[in-house]
Amino acid sequence: MALAQNKVYTIDDIYALPEGTRAELIDGQIYYMAPPSRQHQKILLSLSRHVADYIDSQHGTCEVDIAPFAVFLNQNDRNYVEPDISVICDPNKLNDKGCVGAPDWIIEIVSPGSVRMDYMTKLFKYRSAGVREYWIVDPRKDIVLVYNFANDDMMQYDFTDDIPVGIYLGFSINLSKLNI
């Protein structure tokens, strides 16, 4: 008896979706995304503004991009994600469509519909793609998981903690002090 074959999708399939449809592509599988909540957007705006302000104050060259922003992981046609916040320090990875390859730092803000994706699927995918640092911000639990893949390290913080940023020595973020 033959096994059913799953269709393997490509980036062309993502671009062929109806206008306004938000989806990501991981290892050839399409994952549809629900619209973010207001709280999610407030965290996204405050956190991205804080990171960008820090980079600007240090005259840094890294770029901060927020969703929807295309990241073409693994430089193939079967992986396309839209992280909530991407920090890219290599300008050669950037083009008019987005980022080709792994950003240096990715922050995902957990929504009720993204728990499995953020905690499992994307964790593995970002690690294997070469992301240096991955934060999972979970507003339901008021925690932030910080994965520093370069050091093979994971730490859990509360929103009230000063959370050190691995790719920027001397920079930390305390979410309770942001306007969220």
Side-chain angles (χ1 to χ4, degrees):
M1 180 173 171
L3 295 175
Q5 298 294 314
N6 287 335
K7 179 170 173 43
V8 176
Y9 295 93
T10 67
I11 291 169
D12 290 338
D13 295 306
I14 291 290
Y15 281 110
L17 292 173
E19 182 77 26
T21 302
R22 291 203 54 218
E24 295 178 307
L25 181 69
I26 298 178
D27 296 328
Q29 297 301 304
I30 293 178
Y31 297 89
Y32 294 94
M33 298 185 296
S37 69
R38 184 169 165 261
Q39 180 191 30
H40 180 282
Q41 292 302 90
K42 285 181 74 169
I43 294 169
L44 173 67
L45 179 61
S46 293
L47 200 48
S48 61
R49 180 186 300 141
H50 190 69
V51 171
D53 287 348
Y54 176 80
I55 293 170
D56 289 346
S57 75
Q58 300 300 305
H59 307 289
T61 57
C62 298
E63 178 173 307
V64 179
D65 291 289
I66 61 171
F69 175 75
V71 173
F72 304 92
L73 289 173
N74 306 109
Q75 301 182 24
N76 65 30
D77 68 346
R78 290 187 173 87
N79 289 284
Y80 164 97
V81 291
E82 293 182 358
D84 289 317
I85 300 172
S86 300
V87 179
I88 301 106
C89 299
D90 180 355
N92 294 319
K93 290 183 178 181
L94 297 168
N95 63 31
D96 285 340
K97 289 187 175 185
C99 177
V100 179
D104 294 271
W105 180 19
I106 288 179
I107 301 171
E108 294 285 8
I109 302 159
V110 178
S111 297
S114 73
V115 173
R116 182 175 170 80
M117 284 292 291
D118 294 337
Y119 277 98
M120 296 175 66
T121 306
K122 287 184 175 180
L123 171 64
F124 174 77
K125 183 47 74 180
Y126 292 157
R127 179 186 193 122
S128 64
V131 172
R132 291 170 47 202
E133 186 167 353
Y134 175 43
W135 287 25
I136 301 172
V137 177
D138 194 331
R140 294 170 309 129
K141 298 177 181 178
D142 287 339
I143 63 165
V144 179
L145 295 179
V146 175
Y147 292 88
N148 185 327
F149 297 134
N151 296 340
D152 203 25
D153 187 36
M154 189 280 288
M155 295 290 295
Q156 178 176 313
Y157 298 92
D158 293 324
F159 275 25
T160 57
D161 292 330
D162 289 331
I163 306 169
V165 176
I167 68 166
Y168 287 109
L169 296 178
F171 178 41
S172 64
I173 299 173
N174 186 317
L175 273 74
S176 68
K177 295 180 180 175
L178 299 180
N179 187 23
I180 55 175

